[in-house]
Amino acid sequence: MEILQNNLVLLALTFGIFYGARQFQKWTGWIVLNPILVTIAVLIVLLKLTGISYETYSQAGGYIEFWLKPAIVALGVPLYQNLGQIRRQFLPIFFSQLVGCVIGVVSVVVIAQAMGASRETIISLAPKSVTTPIAMEVCQSLGGIPSLTAAIVVSVGLFGAVFGFKVLEVWHVKNPYSQGLSIGTASHAVGTSRAMEKGASYGAYASLGLILNGVLTALLAPFILKIMGI
Amino acid sequence: MIRQCFIIFACLAVGEVIVWLTGITIPSSIIGMLLLTALLQLRAIKLEWVKGMSDFLISNMGFFFVPPGVALMLYLDLIKAELLPIVVATVVSTVLVLVVTGWIHQISEKGERVRTDDGDTAE
């Protein structure tokens, strides 16, 4: 099975599984079968079965993950296109972001602590709502496990992408701008990519939530954890 | 295409330089995003110069998260040991963030609009 460890084979496999998962979702119409989620699950099972280590896979995966940073830069385009609208609503946006950021960090820490999670896990969970590079940075500086944070961040993003709009509708958040903003705040770039599919203005507000919560969490999380005695 | 790549990677590179110079903990990609928005707003670059590339990157952003997601396999034991706290804490907290952020924005945005309609803040 040595040929399976070839970077190009692993890359082709990743593209192929994702394509298959997307076709399968289209065919079934089930939103739960998120192609990102399905691809991750299939790859993990496959790697475990063939005994390929994550280190080997990540050499190939690195070529894909690399595009995450340029993709975040590209979000500047929808942000620019909606700047006028956003400027008019600056106060509501800023205030909801500030509360969202504090609630996101405090609630996850309180619940995890109450349920007996270890200190390392709690720190790794704290920046869960923000985009991977920021979350890993925050986690590292506080003494958590950055790659656990990365994995949790992706899971949170998937949860937001799959269930986010449903949750918002159930709780009567109907305004499309508020919906976009919340999705970006709670589930960063994965949620934002889902919001983009719904429409450019949802996406623009989601990218705004992604940016503001990212910056606020990077600035506030260390203080919040200190105050909470973690 | 080359110009599109140049603009996006230049924004990213400037972000890296700013992080390197100042040592701030904001990722270079976020700085690059804000820089791109500013350049477009200041008319320093035209929208057509980045539109194709950025549309491509944004519409495939989800796919780029697959490899960091596969990293979950490294922590299956830790996650299994603390499965309940991890799942409950993240799900409840994510729902809270979604709903509270949405509510506050929805209510205050409506308030702001009503105020404008009354003519209080209208110019």
Side-chain angles (χ1 to χ4, degrees):
Chain A
M1 290 302 234
E2 205 140 274
I3 188 65
L4 269 177
Q5 306 200 2
N6 182 302
N7 277 351
L8 294 173
V9 173
L10 287 171
L11 275 173
L13 211 58
T14 310
F15 280 113
I17 295 171
F18 192 84
Y19 176 69
R22 209 172 52 183
Q23 293 304 107
F24 190 62
Q25 189 191 31
K26 266 189 201 146
W27 181 62
T28 57
W30 292 349
I31 197 122
V32 199
L33 289 177
N34 180 296
I36 310 166
L37 188 71
V38 172
T39 309
I40 291 169
V42 171
L43 276 172
I44 290 180
V45 171
L46 212 68
L47 294 177
K48 287 270 174 198
L49 286 178
T50 52
I52 298 173
S53 70
Y54 174 72
E55 283 69 33
T56 308
Y57 176 76
S58 69
Q59 280 170 18
Y63 293 105
I64 298 171
E65 195 177 341
F66 169 79
W67 291 97
L68 210 52
K69 283 185 170 198
I72 290 175
V73 173
L75 287 171
V77 171
L79 192 60
Y80 155 72
Q81 289 172 315
N82 288 274
L83 212 55
Q85 174 85 20
I86 289 162
R87 223 186 266 163
R88 277 193 293 280
Q89 300 192 356
F90 184 73
L91 271 182
I93 291 173
F94 184 75
F95 186 57
S96 59
Q97 289 303 298
L98 191 64
V99 179
C101 165
V102 174
I103 287 206
V105 176
V106 172
S107 63
V108 79
V109 169
V110 167
I111 299 169
Q113 207 170 19
M115 294 185 70
S118 64
R119 184 172 175 274
E120 271 183 332
T121 306
I122 293 173
I123 294 173
S124 310
L125 285 173
K128 64 160 193 352
S129 299
V130 300
T131 190
T132 326
I134 302 186
M136 289 177 78
E137 193 75 48
V138 171
C139 173
Q140 178 110 51
S141 66
L142 296 171
I145 312 165
S147 42
L148 176 61
T149 297
I152 288 169
V153 162
V154 177
S155 313
V156 168
L158 287 168
F159 177 82
V162 175
F163 300 108
F165 283 107
K166 266 252 124 50
V167 168
L168 289 167
E169 261 152 45
V170 170
W171 291 85
H172 305 293
V173 179
K174 297 267 159 75
N175 181 331
Y177 303 131
S178 313
Q179 288 190 345
L181 193 69
S182 306
I183 295 277
T185 308
S187 51
H188 56 93
V190 185
T192 302
S193 70
R194 169 79 186 95
M196 272 303 168
E197 287 168 23
K198 235 177 132 90
S201 59
Y202 286 96
Y205 271 79
S207 30
L208 191 69
L210 154 85
I211 305 164
L212 285 177
N213 195 25
V215 174
L216 285 172
T217 302
L219 297 174
L220 299 180
F223 294 102
I224 297 175
L225 290 192
K226 202 183 246 173
I227 292 167
M228 294 180 76
I230 304 290
Chain B
M1 204 64 208
I2 298 293
R3 178 163 65 188
Q4 306 220 4
C5 284
F6 168 65
I7 293 171
I8 288 180
F9 279 95
C11 287
L12 202 48
V14 171
E16 293 278 339
V17 171
I18 291 176
V19 170
W20 178 68
L21 282 177
T22 60
I24 48 174
T25 49
I26 300 170
S28 56
S29 54
I30 298 279
I31 299 173
M33 176 208 281
L34 296 173
L35 188 62
L36 182 61
T37 311
L39 289 173
L40 286 163
Q41 182 68 20
L42 296 170
R43 307 271 180 271
I45 54 173
K46 289 197 177 114
L47 187 56
E48 312 93 83
W49 293 359
V50 283
K51 191 84 177 89
M53 180 74 176
S54 68
D55 282 349
F56 168 78
L57 288 171
I58 292 169
S59 55
N60 293 296
M61 194 157 59
F63 177 69
F64 307 144
F65 274 99
V66 168
V70 174
L72 265 175
M73 68 185 281
L74 293 173
Y75 300 99
L76 290 179
D77 291 334
L78 175 73
I79 293 169
K80 216 193 288 168
E82 300 186 26
L83 185 67
L84 210 58
I86 292 178
V87 172
V88 173
T90 48
V91 169
V92 173
S93 170
T94 303
V95 169
L96 271 176
V97 175
L98 275 170
V99 174
V100 173
T101 310
W103 271 351
I104 293 181
H105 181 258
Q106 185 165 275
I107 293 166
S108 52
E109 198 249 335
K110 210 186 274 169
E112 212 112 294
R113 219 166 32 206
V114 169
R115 224 156 21 112
T116 314
D117 290 348
D118 287 349
D120 284 359
T121 55
E123 285 149 71

